[in-house]
Amino acid sequence: MQRGVAYGVMAGALWGMVFLAPRVLPDFSPLLLSAGRYTMYGIVSLAAALPMARSLIRRLTREDLGALVKLALAGNLLYYLLLSAAVHMIGIAPASLIIGVLPVTITLLGRRDHGAVPLARLAWPLAMVVAGIACINVDVFTAADSTPVSTATRLAGLACAAGALICWSWFAVENARYLQRQTHFSGNEWSVLWGVVTGVLGAVLWLVVAVMPSGSLQATLADERWHTFWMLNLGLAVGASWLGNGLWNAASKRLPLTLSGQMIVFETLFALLYAFIYDHRLPRPLETAAILLLVAGVSWSVRQHADGDSSDTTSIEEKAQVPAH
């Protein structure tokens, strides 16, 4: 379980970077950002898949392919499309912290899964997570904003962030359950297959861009901006998508859903850290309180799971018959 927690924290550190991309590239639409990121992810995954392509294809079933398409659509393309739109409209902090409700939603959705700690034991840790999210939202809506946003834009941004929350809640639960059911792919192999499927879907997005009016944006952007666009997306493809997803799959193999849900809070914390660095400022008092509450809540949840795990010497990884890697 300790390895699973470490993998979850590292995945959160890598995933936190995805909130910066829309901020660094405000002149690129969410559709272009999603198409670029996941096309690069597909290329990286295809390169990783080539040495073991025959073995992967031989083991791949129709059920696996259907699951990969659904997970790629919800957990990658639609999620990042909505996240990018939210960051464009309301900024990194509100978007990351609305999506930061994931530990609560995933814990509730996974409460009946094997290895889940009873909700009564998680009531106080979850309350601390909710309190932290409440603190940061109060700060977001009361702090002075140098670039005021219209009410309609703010509401649209909040709706996009909520939509991203729904997408990732469903994805995290379904991906973890599927990984624990199937025994013929390791976490790394599943991540590679997932990346290849996502890359195909990302390529399809370029066809959508070409036929939409937003496609004309390509002619108005300087070559330097396109170079930044592709370099940043290559970094996200290798770090956040390929390595981050591999680490998350490894964590999902080893942790019950009620605990893996808590690990996602580190995506929010790292996104905030990167935002503070990018904005060249320190966190405000309410932001500091939120960070402390989130970390304390997750740490408490980890201890609750460790206490429960001590009475069961067989790990989830062993029960799922997943080889160590």
Side-chain angles (χ1 to χ4, degrees), residues 81-305:
L81 187 68
L82 292 169
L83 183 152
S84 299
V87 172
H88 277 169
M89 289 185 276
I90 58 176
I92 294 176
S96 66
L97 287 154
I98 290 172
I99 296 169
V101 180
L102 278 166
V104 178
T105 58
I106 294 175
T107 295
L108 295 175
L109 288 172
R111 66 188 183 278
R112 291 190 175 90
D113 285 63
H114 173 78
V117 170
L119 284 180
R121 290 179 57 188
L122 296 176
W124 285 109
L126 288 177
M128 296 183 77
V129 171
V130 172
I133 293 169
C135 283
I136 196 67
N137 277 280
V138 169
D139 178 82
V140 164
F141 290 104
T142 58
D145 192 348
S146 59
T147 56
V149 178
S150 69
T151 301
T153 300
R154 187 179 295 275
L155 289 174
L158 292 173
C160 287
L165 170 66
I166 293 170
C167 287
W168 233 98
S169 298
W170 178 89
F171 156 77
V173 172
E174 290 303 313
N175 186 55
R177 287 173 177 169
Y178 197 86
L179 278 168
Q180 292 177 13
R181 285 199 309 269
Q182 64 86 14
T183 61
H184 51 286
F185 291 116
S186 68
N188 180 62
E189 290 172 335
W190 185 252
S191 181
V192 167
L193 286 169
W194 183 15
V196 172
V197 171
T198 302
V200 173
L201 296 175
V204 172
L205 276 187
W206 283 109
L207 298 178
V208 177
V209 170
V211 300
M212 290 182 65
S214 59
S216 61
L217 181 65
Q218 300 177 35
T220 64
L221 293 170
D223 291 342
E224 292 79 5
R225 294 300 291 162
W226 279 106
H227 181 265
T228 302
F229 173 82
W230 286 115
M231 288 299 100
L232 184 56
N233 280 311
L234 177 60
L236 290 178
V238 175
S241 293
W242 182 66
L243 183 56
N245 290 344
L247 288 166
W248 178 253
N249 285 338
S252 297
K253 292 277 192 180
R254 295 163 172 81
L255 301 175
L257 272 173
T258 47
L259 181 52
S260 64
Q262 306 303 304
M263 293 296 98
I264 300 175
V265 77
F266 287 99
E267 177 185 21
T268 299
L269 293 176
F270 279 104
L272 287 172
L273 173 63
Y274 302 150
F276 296 146
I277 293 173
Y278 187 81
D279 291 338
H280 303 288
R281 71 176 179 89
L282 294 173
R284 293 183 287 266
L286 276 174
E287 291 172 327
T288 301
I291 292 170
L292 293 175
L293 284 166
L294 289 171
V295 171
V298 172
S299 299
W300 194 351
S301 176
V302 170
R303 288 198 300 271
Q304 292 285 54
H305 281 85

